[in-house]
Amino acid sequence: VKHNLPPLHYHDYLKLDAILNSQKTRSKEIGHEAHDETLFIIIHQVYELWFKQLLHELSSIHNIFVTNKVAETHMGLIVARLERMGEIFKLLIDQIRVLETMTPLDFLDFRDFLFPASGFQSFQFRRLEVLLGLKSKQRLPFSSQPYTAALRSDQSKELTQLEEGPSLFDAVEDWLERTPFLNLADFDFWNLYRTAVSNMLRTDQQTVTSYKELGPEEQARNIKIIHEAEQMFKALFDEQEFEKSRLNGTWRLSMKALHAALFIQVYRDQPVLQQPFRLLMALINLDELFTNWRYRHAVMAKRMLGTKIGTGGSSGSDYLTASADQHRIFQDFNRLTTFFIPRSQLPVLPSTIERELGFYYSAK
Amino acid sequence: VKHNLPPLHYHDYLKLDAILNSQKTRSKEIGHEAHDETLFIIIHQVYELWFKQLLHELSSIHNIFVTNKVAETHMGLIVARLERMGEIFKLLIDQIRVLETMTPLDFLDFRDFLFPASGFQSFQFRRLEVLLGLKSKQRLPFSSQPYTAALRSDQSKELTQLEEGPSLFDAVEDWLERTPFLNLADFDFWNLYRTAVSNMLRTDQQTVTSYKELGPEEQARNIKIIHEAEQMFKALFDEQEFEKSRLNGTWRLSMKALHAALFIQVYRDQPVLQQPFRLLMALINLDELFTNWRYRHAVMAKRMLGTKIGTGGSSGSDYLTASADQHRIFQDFNRLTTFFIPRSQLPVLPSTIERELGFYYSAK
Amino acid sequence: VKHNLPPLHYHDYLKLDAILNSQKTRSKEIGHEAHDETLFIIIHQVYELWFKQLLHELSSIHNIFVTNKVAETHMGLIVARLERMGEIFKLLIDQIRVLETMTPLDFLDFRDFLFPASGFQSFQFRRLEVLLGLKSKQRLPFSSQPYTAALRSDQSKELTQLEEGPSLFDAVEDWLERTPFLNLADFDFWNLYRTAVSNMLRTDQQTVTSYKELGPEEQARNIKIIHEAEQMFKALFDEQEFEKSRLNGTWRLSMKALHAALFIQVYRDQPVLQQPFRLLMALINLDELFTNWRYRHAVMAKRMLGTKIGTGGSSGSDYLTASADQHRIFQDFNRLTTFFIPRSQLPVLPSTIERELGFYYSAK
Amino acid sequence: VKHNLPPLHYHDYLKLDAILNSQKTRSKEIGHEAHDETLFIIIHQVYELWFKQLLHELSSIHNIFVTNKVAETHMGLIVARLERMGEIFKLLIDQIRVLETMTPLDFLDFRDFLFPASGFQSFQFRRLEVLLGLKSKQRLPFSSQPYTAALRSDQSKELTQLEEGPSLFDAVEDWLERTPFLNLADFDFWNLYRTAVSNMLRTDQQTVTSYKELGPEEQARNIKIIHEAEQMFKALFDEQEFEKSRLNGTWRLSMKALHAALFIQVYRDQPVLQQPFRLLMALINLDELFTNWRYRHAVMAKRMLGTKIGTGGSSGSDYLTASADQHRIFQDFNRLTTFFIPRSQLPVLPSTIERELGFYYSAK
């Protein structure tokens, strides 16, 4: 590739004039310069730069899912980009340690000047949540206003529109539903699997019953959990039951998508399923890292603010703590593990099917 | 130091025969060897080794507090050991990533063989909790039995005894109560401080009231939080009120200890307070790291087990999640930050007092 | 799976009596107990436990390579285990921070008692190096004796034998040589590729020549580097030239293996190459993590010992620094990147070949 | 503090318009958009933001040293800021993992468009080095031109000027020289210390001589190291000898500063020395983290570029590897540990001196 662009200087390429002149401390403006406000600004700018990068990766992945319907040649790329997002999330978590070198007393030197600015006003963060698949109705209510109230009106509109289109969650669900091999001709896989799960749950129940040390109360509680699992599992194969369990919030994915996710995970060693398995793992990792970040952030807020309200007028830390779990996107994959059975008890795939799951060149 | 011991070999010094021959997988014994059981054993052994190290440090710190009453020449040492404990906790958290390379399906290969063994049976972990200051009555109830029921009876007894003696929490409280300089002769520090806090809370209230965008509901909620803070603060100076707030769980430390912790933090730059300040920071860090570890552990359990019961017959992950907050020891230090005031509004210490807070050689 | 084993207790399962009673400090035995010796022992025991885990994973991978010749159903498993090894190496690196909380003065309290024990006597570490593929002749010479002199004679013998068999390096080389698709019928891939690389190197040379700011000396140096790269690349396609470059240490892998590694990387998106690509990446990561660990370890030793000799009579830190680079196993993969060409210039694979590289079910 | 500034919005406060619109990829401009160029830009912008923060902290510390001559009330603050710099350096190291998710092939998609931009052109990084104390003459030569040649002329001038003023190294040296208590009236500390070190080195020599397993060659080498240490130590107390050893590069700090650094470390538990000790530890940590970052960066460059020249026309990775050690600033503190003696052999301070090293209030 030839080009006629002038030679490049590092300083101009990175637009360092703009980047490095964007730290105007409010405290200095007011005439009481606080040393640590620079850290406060820079760390948030770094967060926003990483959010931009996360959105760049997420959009590209979303696009491959929605537009290209995930050709097999794209699988490695999608997984690599999800894993990159994971590495960025680890940084976001570790970064909190740097912020915590600012003590609450240091923060007080400029905290009041910032009112009512708040992390709740980060548009990119909200975009990230919405694009991943967080729905307004799933959000933990905070004050009587919608979560978009803190944002500029153009940003608020953009989010509302974004929420109407397919999220990554929707795209993944759609992709799972298109998984081939869920109908395995005359090999009655799902019936065999259901029997194996029933056996497993029955064994669990026997274990609990025979373990006297648990005490009657605890035994009863455990048996209840097992029965619920049994019901959850049954509902996975009955369309009407399933819709009920979806309405009450047990599941978010469709029945077909859940079947596919189960199949991919238990037969993950089959060549054609190896990358789909990694993709699911990468999603689970990402969801977990996001959750860990939310909680870590909440703990930091508690330390920094005590029981005081945040800079944006919120008693943020309790809200943040509760949202860590509530705002997870891919919880279904965690719940699904309840129904995994040991590999030794998995139905053996007929060789005709195994062939289908392999590479062309080895099957010739 | 001369000695007559024979020359040492690395292998013998570290007792590697014992250490490296202690990984007998249950799955192999049963005849269905599961590759990942070795990881499961080794990672838990590593946890226990680190718990031993944490107990070694904690006991030595505890001992300096209880026996030596913390001479000033010990401050640096205590802080260094608390910080070492913090570094170890970071490893304990990061280590979970290694365990998560084992998928739920891999775990199923040997999970049933382990019943009813469980992390709930870790004696060293319980010792650590008790020695730090976790009391039985503070523990989130789990089943109808005491938390010691999972342990061997000798271990259970030892813990009960340990809980009767002074914990690190008690020793820190005692040390704080002995802080000199809380009575500053005719300098009426606490009255000045109380006025400053009242002013600060009043300003907070004005800010909230004037910020119309919050909406009436949210304003009311925030004003309630401010009023509660006001009451909490008043109770800090009235012995009867304080005892009430201590009974209802707002505070755990004594009034005198809280005053000292406040004084140390807001005047942390005075030479004699610099190391006590670091000590408080190290405790806050440790408490936070422990909390983060508990939550991280809970998230991992959720991923590994789904909604199933744990190897010890527990639906562990929900319990673990809730305990992260409930089992904190030094929460008071977080709550106390609510009453910090900006440095610019701190009462200025008279020079006679400043001299007292300095070094001998510079005051001569 | 049914079994008749008695119920399991955490304490017994993990053999905690053996594990937790294996910390006998030499300093206490001598009568001058040093607090930090416990940390020194425990951290090294943790290292050895992780080394055992690394060997467990490495042996299983090695076995799949050597015995099973890596069936396609094994690819995901191998990659996952290599990645697990990588996660463990990250811990090994981070762990050094904990050791560094022990100051040199603390170390002096017991350092002399340990003579001549030394990390050079870690059998498991040597096993790991040899099994990965480090050869005696590649080792940086240290004193006039073989590296095995520090070990017990039975351990020394075992290592000598191990070095005679195939290492992971050898097994990977063998696997690469068996890569199909290197001969692509009448599609003259390698000729096209060689032309593209020559063009690229020529462009590099023009860039350097036209960039006056470099100065004549620097230009000459850069042009020399480019010419060397050209020679290296030519040698990749001429058996006699290649053998020469292998003898002088430029390459360690065979010509055929290098071709395969190149092909896999530039066409990594083809379904059948996606997992082999990840495998190469996992090896590169591991090699890099090992290198980083060695260097990090050397820096720590320098801090702890100054210019003094180590506990084992070695002036260890300089040796350790130099070995970080010298003892790398998979350097060839780094050197190979010199000959990657931009994707836009890659020869386009004919559709008949692309079909071969895909899955059976999509080609039907 | 009252102010009349308008209410603040997060977006404006952080100048997100400037920050988030500063990622113009060269590849898109040229018409061949490369997905990963955005990561490349953003990660470098994040580096520059952190460099700005590091400079903010370093300048403030430098200022306290140079202007205020480090009042005792500043010690805690200096240590806290140095430790914050350490936390930021850990992020800079971890961040490399994110960059490494970009493969060499991905980099090739836009690498040629960047010529001759290079990290060698980072002005802030050079400022950091110079302000810490890296001198032009200490720099590993790279090409025939000064290191400032890559920079804009105004930046180059600024660095030259900066190098003429006192660096942090100079300021620390100056502060160490002002340490009181180096002359301890009629207590002949240094003579006692010198005898103790001589005894220690003699014992080391006996140990080596009696350890036959080392072999004669290795024994001779070790004895040479001990003799060199002996000479180094003697030179620490003879002004003429010391100047020689300083000229040949053994030491960089002045004799007086080295004495102070030794005194502070071995008597670190004395109250007045506790914070100076932490300060030295923080400097040692920072120097080590910088070194680790340099090496880690070099390893990454090797992986990304192979033996090719960097974007700035440099065969960077070898240079970077060598500079990791060569560009250390506070090596002297590492070398000094050679002369620590076990605490049990330290001269006991007379109680009159101990009193001087304590707090005013406890001495009254």
Side-chain angles (χ1 to χ4, degrees), chain B residues 74-338:
Chain B
H74 286 141
M75 290 302 294
L77 191 67
I78 293 178
V79 172
R81 289 185 183 167
L82 285 170
E83 290 180 347
R84 174 181 291 169
M85 290 177 71
E87 288 298 332
I88 294 173
F89 259 105
K90 287 183 204 161
L91 274 191
L92 299 188
I93 293 170
D94 288 345
Q95 212 158 287
I96 296 177
R97 279 192 215 159
V98 174
L99 188 53
E100 287 183 342
T101 62
M102 181 175 84
T103 68
L105 202 65
D106 297 326
F107 189 25
L108 274 185
D109 285 346
F110 60 95
R111 184 180 160 277
D112 284 346
F113 306 155
L114 308 186
F115 188 85
S118 150
F120 281 78
Q121 296 172 335
S122 169
F123 172 58
Q124 289 198 119
F125 184 73
R126 295 306 177 200
R127 265 196 108 215
L128 200 55
E129 291 183 327
V130 173
L131 200 51
L132 278 168
L134 187 62
K135 299 292 180 200
S136 292
K137 62 173 195 280
Q138 181 191 348
R139 287 181 188 273
L140 199 65
F142 181 68
S143 87
S144 47
Q145 301 192 302
Y147 79 99
T148 48
L151 302 170
R152 287 192 335 223
S153 66
D154 58 323
Q155 296 174 335
S156 168
K157 257 180 227 155
E158 200 177 324
L159 287 180
T160 308
Q161 276 183 318
L162 192 65
E163 198 175 320
E164 282 162 14
S167 65
L168 182 70
F169 179 91
D170 302 323
V172 165
E173 183 179 50
D174 192 51
W175 167 75
L176 281 169
E177 290 177 352
R178 283 182 280 116
T179 306
F181 313 116
L182 292 181
N183 278 316
L184 299 160
D186 39 296
F187 174 54
D188 196 1
F189 171 71
W190 291 109
N191 247 332
L192 293 168
Y193 197 86
R194 286 158 78 173
T195 311
V197 171
S198 294
N199 292 343
M200 180 186 68
L201 291 174
R202 198 163 318 127
T203 310
D204 283 1
Q205 186 166 337
Q206 283 163 3
T207 307
V208 166
T209 316
S210 67
Y211 187 52
K212 303 300 178 205
E213 288 83 346
L214 272 185
E217 197 178 310
E218 195 53 19
Q219 280 188 330
R221 209 174 59 83
N222 275 305
I223 283 166
K224 192 161 159 267
I225 290 171
I226 295 169
H227 281 196
E228 282 165 8
E230 222 160 3
Q231 290 314 109
M232 258 173 94
F233 187 66
K234 270 187 197 150
L236 261 185
F237 295 94
D238 179 308
E239 296 210 17
Q240 282 190 320
E241 285 300 312
F242 184 79
E243 277 320 301
K244 273 191 229 160
S245 73
R246 215 176 173 192
L247 283 172
N248 72 23
T250 308
W251 300 108
R252 184 173 169 190
L253 283 167
S254 73
M255 198 169 118
K256 208 171 167 192
L258 285 164
H259 289 193
L262 187 58
F263 188 79
I264 289 168
Q265 289 188 78
V266 298
Y267 293 115
R268 67 190 189 197
D269 289 332
Q270 299 303 320
V272 83
L273 301 179
Q274 289 188 14
Q275 290 285 51
F277 170 67
R278 286 207 73 112
L279 197 156
L280 293 183
M281 293 299 287
L283 288 171
I284 290 170
N285 269 326
L286 203 60
D287 202 41
E288 185 178 295
L289 282 161
F290 205 154
T291 305
N292 291 334
W293 180 79
R294 285 187 196 271
Y295 189 78
R296 186 70 189 77
H297 183 242
V299 168
M300 180 272 293
K302 201 166 286 178
R303 171 184 188 153
M304 210 58 101
L305 300 173
T307 52
K308 265 182 143 175
I309 51 173
T311 54
S314 65
S315 58
S317 76
D318 286 342
Y319 178 81
L320 292 171
T321 306
S323 77
D325 242 44
Q326 174 76 20
H327 290 181
R328 292 191 79 156
I329 311 287
F330 294 101
Q331 288 258 42
D332 280 13
F333 294 138
N334 284 333
R335 287 194 198 99
L336 201 58
T337 62
T338 317

Side-chain angles (χ1 to χ4, degrees), chain A residues 91, chain C residues 288, chain D residues 43 47 91-101 292-293 295-298 300:
Chain A
L91 274 191
Chain C
E288 185 179 295
Chain D
I43 203 168
Y47 269 114
L91 274 190
L92 299 188
I93 293 170
D94 289 345
Q95 213 158 288
I96 295 178
R97 278 192 215 158
V98 175
L99 188 53
E100 287 182 343
T101 62
N292 291 335
W293 181 79
Y295 189 78
R296 185 72 189 77
H297 183 242
M300 180 273 291

Side-chain angles (χ1 to χ4, degrees), chain A residues 213-227:
Chain A
E213 288 82 347
L214 271 185
E217 197 177 309
E218 194 53 19
Q219 280 188 331
R221 207 173 60 82
N222 275 304
I223 284 167
K224 192 162 159 267
I225 291 171
I226 294 170
H227 281 196

Side-chain angles (χ1 to χ4, degrees), chain B residues 6 8 10-11 13-14 20 23 26 35-37 39 45 48 52-53 56-57 84 101 121 152, chain C residues 6 8 10-11 13-14 20 23 26 35-37 39 45 48 52 56-57 84 101 121 152:
Chain B
L8 202 59
Y10 176 89
H11 190 91
Y13 177 53
L14 299 177
L20 300 177
Q23 296 76 32
R26 190 94 161 167
H35 176 84
D36 280 7
E37 193 181 350
L39 173 66
Q45 289 174 335
E48 289 289 336
K52 178 160 186 178
Q53 186 61 38
H56 183 61
E57 302 301 340
R84 174 181 291 169
T101 62
Q121 296 172 335
R152 287 192 335 223
Chain C
L8 202 59
Y10 177 88
H11 190 90
Y13 176 52
L14 299 177
L20 299 176
Q23 296 77 30
R26 189 94 161 165
H35 177 84
D36 280 8
E37 193 182 350
L39 173 65
Q45 289 175 335
E48 289 289 335
K52 179 161 185 177
H56 183 62
E57 302 301 342
R84 174 181 292 170
T101 62
Q121 296 172 335
R152 287 193 335 224

Side-chain angles (χ1 to χ4, degrees), chain C residues 14-231:
Chain C
L14 299 177
K15 302 208 183 298
L16 293 185
D17 283 337
I19 296 288
L20 299 176
N21 286 310
S22 296
Q23 296 77 30
K24 303 289 175 214
T25 61
R26 189 94 161 165
S27 59
K28 191 176 181 184
E29 211 178 346
I30 284 164
H32 289 74
E33 191 166 1
H35 177 84
D36 280 8
E37 193 182 350
T38 303
L39 173 65
F40 191 78
I41 293 176
I42 283 180
I43 203 168
H44 282 94
Q45 289 175 335
V46 170
Y47 268 115
E48 289 289 335
L49 282 173
W50 286 127
F51 291 161
K52 179 161 185 177
Q53 186 61 37
L54 287 171
L55 283 167
H56 183 62
E57 302 301 342
L58 182 55
S59 303
S60 83
I61 295 165
H62 183 263
N63 195 46
I64 297 174
F65 268 108
V66 171
T67 317
N68 305 30
K69 305 292 173 191
V70 208
E72 272 138 2
T73 48
H74 286 141
M75 289 302 294
L77 191 67
I78 292 178
V79 172
R81 290 184 183 169
L82 285 170
E83 290 179 348
R84 174 181 292 170
M85 290 177 71
E87 288 298 331
I88 294 173
F89 259 105
K90 286 181 204 162
L91 274 191
L92 300 188
I93 292 170
D94 289 344
Q95 212 159 288
I96 295 178
R97 278 191 215 160
V98 175
L99 188 52
E100 287 183 342
T101 62
M102 181 175 83
T103 67
L105 203 65
D106 297 326
F107 188 26
L108 274 185
D109 285 346
F110 61 96
R111 183 180 160 277
D112 284 347
F113 307 154
L114 309 186
F115 188 85
S118 150
F120 280 79
Q121 296 172 335
S122 170
F123 173 58
Q124 289 199 121
F125 185 71
R126 297 305 178 200
R127 265 196 108 216
L128 200 54
E129 290 183 326
V130 173
L131 201 52
L132 279 168
L134 187 62
K135 297 294 180 198
S136 292
K137 62 172 195 280
Q138 182 191 346
R139 287 182 187 271
L140 199 63
F142 181 68
S143 87
S144 47
Q145 301 192 303
Y147 80 98
T148 48
L151 303 170
R152 287 193 335 224
S153 66
D154 58 322
Q155 295 174 335
S156 167
K157 257 180 229 158
E158 199 177 326
L159 287 181
T160 309
Q161 276 184 320
L162 192 65
E163 197 174 319
E164 281 162 15
S167 66
L168 182 70
F169 179 91
D170 301 323
V172 166
E173 183 179 50
D174 192 52
W175 166 74
L176 281 170
E177 289 176 352
R178 283 181 279 116
T179 306
F181 312 117
L182 293 181
N183 279 315
L184 299 158
D186 40 295
F187 174 54
D188 196 1
F189 170 71
W190 290 110
N191 247 334
L192 292 168
Y193 196 84
R194 286 158 79 174
T195 310
V197 171
S198 294
N199 291 342
M200 180 185 69
L201 291 174
R202 199 164 314 127
T203 308
D204 283 1
Q205 186 167 336
Q206 283 163 3
T207 307
V208 166
T209 316
S210 67
Y211 187 50
K212 303 300 177 203
E213 289 82 346
L214 271 186
E217 198 178 309
E218 196 52 18
Q219 280 188 331
R221 207 174 61 83
N222 275 304
I223 283 167
K224 193 161 158 266
I225 291 171
I226 294 169
H227 281 196
E228 282 166 8
E230 222 160 2
Q231 291 314 109

Side-chain angles (χ1 to χ4, degrees), chain A residues 6 10 13 26 35 37 48, chain D residues 6 10 13 26 37 48 57:
Chain A
Y10 176 88
Y13 177 52
R26 190 92 162 165
H35 176 84
E37 193 181 350
E48 288 290 336
Chain D
Y10 176 89
Y13 177 52
R26 190 93 162 166
E37 192 182 351
E48 289 289 335
E57 303 300 341

Side-chain angles (χ1 to χ4, degrees), chain D residues 220-284:
Chain D
R221 207 173 61 82
N222 274 305
I223 284 167
K224 194 162 156 265
I225 290 171
I226 294 170
H227 282 196
E228 282 165 8
E230 223 160 2
Q231 289 315 109
M232 257 173 95
F233 186 65
K234 271 188 195 148
L236 261 185
F237 295 94
D238 179 308
E239 296 210 16
Q240 282 191 319
E241 285 299 311
F242 183 78
E243 277 321 301
K244 275 191 227 162
S245 73
R246 216 176 171 191
L247 283 172
N248 72 24
T250 308
W251 299 108
R252 184 173 169 190
L253 283 167
S254 73
M255 197 168 116
K256 210 173 167 190
L258 285 164
H259 289 193
L262 187 57
F263 188 79
I264 289 167
Q265 288 188 78
V266 298
Y267 293 113
R268 67 190 190 197
D269 290 332
Q270 299 303 320
V272 84
L273 301 178
Q274 288 188 13
Q275 290 286 50
F277 170 67
R278 287 207 73 112
L279 196 156
L280 293 182
M281 292 299 287
L283 288 171
I284 291 170

